[in-house]
Amino acid sequence: MSFDRSLKIAPSILAADFAAFGAECRAVEDQGADWIHVDVMDGHFVPNLTFGPAMCAALRPHIRTVMDVHLMIAPVDPYIEAFAKAGADIITAHVEAGPHIHRTLQAIRGAGAKAGLALNPGTGIEAVPHLLDMVDLICVMTVNPGFGGQSFIASQVAKVRALREMIGDRPIHLQIDGGVTPETAPLVAEAGADVLVAGSAVFRGGSVSDPAPYGANMRAIRDAVAG
Ligand code: DX5
Ligand code: ZN
Protein backbone atom coordinates (compact mmCIF):
# COMPACT_ATOMS: atom_id res chain seq x y z
CA MET A 1 0.00 0.00 0.00
CA SER A 2 1.29 3.47 -0.81
CA PHE A 3 2.24 5.78 2.01
CA ASP A 4 -0.75 7.73 3.35
CA ARG A 5 0.03 11.41 3.78
CA SER A 6 -3.61 12.48 4.08
CA LEU A 7 -4.68 14.27 7.26
CA LYS A 8 -5.18 11.98 10.26
CA ILE A 9 -6.52 12.79 13.72
CA ALA A 10 -5.05 10.88 16.65
CA PRO A 11 -7.05 11.56 19.82
CA SER A 12 -4.90 11.48 22.95
CA ILE A 13 -6.47 9.34 25.65
CA LEU A 14 -4.85 11.61 28.21
CA ALA A 15 -8.06 13.64 27.87
CA ALA A 16 -10.35 10.58 28.09
CA ASP A 17 -12.00 9.06 31.17
CA PHE A 18 -9.17 7.10 32.82
CA ALA A 19 -11.70 4.68 34.33
CA ALA A 20 -13.06 3.76 30.90
CA PHE A 21 -10.13 3.72 28.48
CA GLY A 22 -11.30 0.69 26.49
CA ALA A 23 -14.76 2.11 25.90
CA GLU A 24 -13.29 5.55 25.18
CA CYS A 25 -11.03 4.12 22.44
CA ARG A 26 -13.96 2.32 20.84
CA ALA A 27 -16.16 5.41 21.08
CA VAL A 28 -13.66 7.80 19.54
CA GLU A 29 -12.83 5.35 16.73
CA ASP A 30 -16.56 4.89 16.02
CA GLN A 31 -16.70 8.69 15.74
CA GLY A 32 -13.94 8.79 13.13
CA ALA A 33 -10.54 8.78 14.84
CA ASP A 34 -7.73 7.62 12.53
CA TRP A 35 -5.25 6.57 15.23
CA ILE A 36 -5.25 6.38 19.05
CA HIS A 37 -2.44 8.32 20.75
CA VAL A 38 -1.31 6.83 24.07
CA ASP A 39 0.74 9.12 26.33
CA VAL A 40 3.16 7.33 28.65
CA MET A 41 4.73 9.55 31.34
CA ASP A 42 7.22 8.66 34.03
CA GLY A 43 7.23 11.59 36.50
CA HIS A 44 10.93 12.07 35.71
CA PHE A 45 11.36 12.99 32.04
CA VAL A 46 8.09 14.93 32.40
CA PRO A 47 6.45 16.17 35.60
CA ASN A 48 3.46 13.84 35.41
CA LEU A 49 2.73 10.10 35.66
CA THR A 50 0.33 8.04 33.61
CA PHE A 51 0.74 4.31 32.98
CA GLY A 52 2.99 1.67 31.48
CA PRO A 53 3.03 -1.36 29.17
CA ALA A 54 0.42 -3.33 31.11
CA MET A 55 -2.16 -0.64 30.40
CA CYS A 56 -1.16 -0.60 26.72
CA ALA A 57 -1.59 -4.37 26.51
CA ALA A 58 -5.01 -4.09 28.13
CA LEU A 59 -6.03 -1.38 25.64
CA ARG A 60 -4.83 -3.22 22.56
CA PRO A 61 -7.98 -5.31 21.96
CA HIS A 62 -10.06 -2.12 22.12
CA ILE A 63 -8.11 -0.37 19.34
CA ARG A 64 -8.91 -1.26 15.72
CA THR A 65 -6.82 1.45 14.09
CA VAL A 66 -3.25 2.34 15.02
CA MET A 67 -1.91 2.27 18.56
CA ASP A 68 0.49 5.22 18.63
CA VAL A 69 2.52 5.12 21.85
CA HIS A 70 4.29 8.33 22.86
CA LEU A 71 6.97 7.59 25.44
CA MET A 72 7.76 10.56 27.67
CA ILE A 73 10.14 8.49 29.76
CA ALA A 74 13.88 8.28 30.41
CA PRO A 75 15.58 5.93 30.02
CA VAL A 76 13.62 4.47 27.11
CA ASP A 77 15.59 1.42 25.99
CA PRO A 78 14.80 -0.93 28.90
CA TYR A 79 11.06 -0.62 28.15
CA ILE A 80 10.93 -0.88 24.34
CA GLU A 81 10.45 -4.63 24.22
CA ALA A 82 7.58 -4.43 26.71
CA PHE A 83 5.71 -1.75 24.75
CA ALA A 84 6.25 -3.66 21.50
CA LYS A 85 4.92 -6.86 23.13
CA ALA A 86 1.96 -4.82 24.40
CA GLY A 87 1.03 -4.30 20.75
CA ALA A 88 2.19 -0.76 20.00
CA ASP A 89 2.19 -0.13 16.24
CA ILE A 90 4.31 3.00 16.62
CA ILE A 91 6.67 3.75 19.51
CA THR A 92 7.89 7.33 19.72
CA ALA A 93 10.88 8.32 21.84
CA HIS A 94 12.21 11.80 22.60
CA VAL A 95 15.54 12.94 21.24
CA GLU A 96 16.06 14.58 24.66
CA ALA A 97 15.49 11.35 26.60
CA GLY A 98 19.04 10.08 26.45
CA PRO A 99 22.43 10.21 24.77
CA HIS A 100 21.78 7.36 22.30
CA ILE A 101 18.65 8.11 20.30
CA HIS A 102 20.15 6.28 17.29
CA ARG A 103 20.34 3.06 19.30
CA THR A 104 16.84 3.64 20.67
CA LEU A 105 15.35 3.97 17.19
CA GLN A 106 17.21 0.84 16.06
CA ALA A 107 15.82 -1.03 19.06
CA ILE A 108 12.25 0.09 18.33
CA ARG A 109 12.39 -1.20 14.75
CA GLY A 110 14.22 -4.27 15.95
CA ALA A 111 11.30 -4.99 18.27
CA GLY A 112 8.96 -4.91 15.28
CA ALA A 113 7.32 -1.51 15.77
CA LYS A 114 7.48 1.63 13.68
CA ALA A 115 9.87 4.19 15.12
CA GLY A 116 8.92 7.75 16.03
CA LEU A 117 11.21 10.61 17.02
CA ALA A 118 9.79 13.44 19.16
CA LEU A 119 11.28 16.91 19.55
CA ASN A 120 10.47 19.22 22.46
CA PRO A 121 9.65 22.86 21.65
CA GLY A 122 13.11 23.98 22.75
CA THR A 123 14.95 21.41 20.61
CA GLY A 124 16.34 22.17 17.15
CA ILE A 125 16.24 19.90 14.11
CA GLU A 126 20.01 19.46 13.70
CA ALA A 127 19.96 15.77 14.68
CA VAL A 128 17.15 14.81 12.31
CA PRO A 129 19.12 14.46 9.03
CA HIS A 130 21.31 11.86 10.75
CA LEU A 131 18.25 9.84 11.75
CA LEU A 132 16.00 10.14 8.70
CA ASP A 133 16.61 6.60 7.48
CA MET A 134 15.64 5.22 10.88
CA VAL A 135 12.30 6.91 11.51
CA ASP A 136 8.74 6.31 10.40
CA LEU A 137 7.36 9.38 12.17
CA ILE A 138 8.63 12.71 13.49
CA CYS A 139 6.59 14.31 16.27
CA VAL A 140 6.86 18.06 16.77
CA MET A 141 5.77 18.95 20.30
CA THR A 142 3.75 22.16 20.19
CA VAL A 143 3.52 22.25 24.00
CA ASN A 144 6.06 21.25 26.61
CA PRO A 145 5.15 17.61 27.26
CA GLY A 146 3.56 16.55 30.53
CA PHE A 147 0.00 17.79 30.49
CA GLY A 148 -3.02 18.07 28.22
CA GLY A 149 -4.90 21.29 27.73
CA GLN A 150 -1.92 23.63 27.27
CA SER A 151 -1.67 26.42 24.71
CA PHE A 152 -0.16 25.83 21.28
CA ILE A 153 3.37 27.27 20.86
CA ALA A 154 3.22 29.05 17.51
CA SER A 155 6.99 29.26 17.04
CA GLN A 156 6.94 25.54 16.21
CA VAL A 157 5.19 26.07 12.88
CA ALA A 158 8.48 27.08 11.24
CA LYS A 159 10.03 23.85 12.57
CA VAL A 160 7.21 21.83 10.98
CA ARG A 161 7.79 23.55 7.64
CA ALA A 162 11.55 22.86 7.77
CA LEU A 163 10.98 19.21 8.67
CA ARG A 164 8.45 18.77 5.90
CA GLU A 165 11.03 19.96 3.41
CA MET A 166 13.68 17.67 4.93
CA ILE A 167 11.33 14.64 4.72
CA GLY A 168 10.62 15.16 1.01
CA ASP A 169 9.21 11.99 -0.53
CA ARG A 170 10.32 9.69 2.28
CA PRO A 171 7.53 7.64 3.88
CA ILE A 172 7.74 9.51 7.19
CA HIS A 173 4.72 10.91 9.02
CA LEU A 174 4.96 14.42 10.44
CA GLN A 175 2.96 14.57 13.64
CA ILE A 176 1.93 17.53 15.81
CA ASP A 177 1.28 17.05 19.51
CA GLY A 178 -0.13 19.69 21.85
CA GLY A 179 -2.69 22.48 21.73
CA VAL A 180 -4.27 21.33 18.46
CA THR A 181 -7.69 22.98 17.97
CA PRO A 182 -9.74 24.10 14.95
CA GLU A 183 -7.83 27.40 15.24
CA THR A 184 -4.29 25.96 15.29
CA ALA A 185 -4.73 22.84 13.10
CA PRO A 186 -4.76 24.79 9.79
CA LEU A 187 -1.41 26.41 10.66
CA VAL A 188 0.40 23.08 11.05
CA ALA A 189 -1.46 21.29 8.26
CA GLU A 190 -0.49 24.06 5.88
CA ALA A 191 3.11 23.72 7.06
CA GLY A 192 3.06 20.03 6.14
CA ALA A 193 1.87 17.99 9.12
CA ASP A 194 -0.24 14.91 8.36
CA VAL A 195 -1.00 13.53 11.86
CA LEU A 196 -2.65 15.79 14.41
CA VAL A 197 -2.73 14.58 18.01
CA ALA A 198 -5.54 16.25 19.94
CA GLY A 199 -6.70 15.56 23.48
CA SER A 200 -8.91 18.21 24.99
CA ALA A 201 -10.16 19.47 21.60
CA VAL A 202 -11.53 15.97 20.77
CA PHE A 203 -12.87 14.76 24.12
CA ARG A 204 -14.43 17.99 25.36
CA GLY A 205 -18.19 17.93 25.76
CA GLY A 206 -18.60 14.20 25.18
CA SER A 207 -18.45 10.89 27.05
CA VAL A 208 -18.76 7.16 26.40
CA SER A 209 -22.53 7.44 26.86
CA ASP A 210 -22.72 10.58 24.70
CA PRO A 211 -19.94 10.22 22.11
CA ALA A 212 -21.42 12.36 19.30
CA PRO A 213 -19.44 15.45 20.46
CA TYR A 214 -16.21 13.50 19.77
CA GLY A 215 -17.25 13.20 16.12
CA ALA A 216 -18.33 16.84 15.93
CA ASN A 217 -15.06 17.97 17.51
CA MET A 218 -12.99 15.96 15.00
CA ARG A 219 -15.11 17.23 12.10
CA ALA A 220 -14.51 20.80 13.29
CA ILE A 221 -10.74 20.20 13.10
CA ARG A 222 -10.96 18.56 9.64
CA ASP A 223 -13.28 21.29 8.32
CA ALA A 224 -10.96 24.01 9.59
CA VAL A 225 -8.03 22.38 7.78
CA ALA A 226 -10.03 21.91 4.59
CA GLY A 227 -10.89 25.64 4.79
C1 DX5 B 1 1.38 16.27 26.11
C2 DX5 B 1 0.91 15.01 25.44
C3 DX5 B 1 -0.17 15.28 24.46
C4 DX5 B 1 -1.40 15.85 25.08
C5 DX5 B 1 -2.14 16.65 24.08
O1 DX5 B 1 2.38 15.97 27.00
O2 DX5 B 1 1.98 14.38 24.76
O3 DX5 B 1 -0.46 14.13 23.67
O4 DX5 B 1 -2.23 14.90 25.63
O5 DX5 B 1 -3.23 17.22 24.73
P1 DX5 B 1 -3.93 18.53 24.21
O6 DX5 B 1 -4.46 18.24 22.84
O7 DX5 B 1 -5.01 18.77 25.20
O8 DX5 B 1 -2.88 19.63 24.17
ZN1 ZN C 1 1.54 12.82 23.21
Side-chain angles (χ1 to χ4, degrees), residues 22-103:
E24 289 277 42
C25 290
R26 294 195 304 272
V28 83
E29 284 189 345
D30 287 346
Q31 293 293 322
D34 298 288
W35 295 6
I36 300 290
H37 184 82
V38 179
D39 284 309
V40 176
M41 304 187 184
D42 68 351
H44 163 74
F45 179 68
V46 291
N48 195 6
L49 275 169
T50 55
F51 45 76
M55 176 62 88
C56 293
L59 276 178
R60 180 69 265 189
H62 301 275
I63 296 175
R64 296 187 306 265
T65 60
V66 171
M67 183 164 164
D68 170 34
V69 176
H70 178 193
L71 298 182
M72 288 161 276
I73 66 175
V76 181
D77 296 9
Y79 303 101
I80 289 171
E81 196 66 45
F83 283 104
K85 281 213 175 80
D89 296 294
I90 303 171
I91 298 177
T92 295
H94 273 257
V95 69
E96 306 86 2
H100 298 296
I101 186 68
H102 189 283
R103 174 182 293 149

Side-chain angles (χ1 to χ4, degrees), residues 51-191:
F51 45 76
M55 176 62 88
C56 293
L59 276 178
R60 180 69 265 189
H62 301 275
I63 296 175
R64 296 187 306 265
T65 60
V66 171
M67 183 164 164
D68 170 34
V69 176
H70 178 193
L71 298 182
M72 288 161 276
I73 66 175
V76 181
D77 296 9
Y79 303 101
I80 289 171
E81 196 66 45
F83 283 104
K85 281 213 175 80
D89 296 294
I90 303 171
I91 298 177
T92 295
H94 273 257
V95 69
E96 306 86 2
H100 298 296
I101 186 68
H102 189 283
R103 174 182 293 149
T104 300
L105 294 168
Q106 269 179 336
I108 293 171
R109 281 190 171 173
K114 290 198 184 312
L117 173 71
L119 306 174
N120 278 337
T123 300
I125 62 173
E126 299 76 26
V128 179
H130 310 287
L131 301 167
L132 270 185
D133 293 338
M134 317 188 57
V135 297
D136 302 290
L137 174 148
I138 300 173
C139 173
V140 176
M141 293 303 305
T142 39
V143 299
N144 285 296
F147 302 95
Q150 304 181 81
S151 301
F152 180 85
I153 302 173
S155 63
Q156 302 305 302
V157 175
K159 188 190 284 183
V160 176
R161 206 179 300 283
L163 287 168
R164 183 68 198 86
E165 187 160 336
M166 199 182 279
I167 288 170
D169 290 335
R170 292 176 180 83
I172 299 175
H173 294 293
L174 186 49
Q175 180 178 66
I176 305 303
D177 190 3
V180 170
T181 65
E183 288 70 43
T184 59
L187 306 174
V188 286
E190 190 274 326

Side-chain angles (χ1 to χ4, degrees), residues 185-218:
L187 306 174
V188 286
E190 190 274 326
D194 65 302
V195 186
L196 306 183
V197 174
S200 10
V202 169
F203 285 96
R204 78 163 59 102
S207 66
V208 165
S209 52
D210 176 25
Y214 299 166
N217 291 339
M218 288 187 277

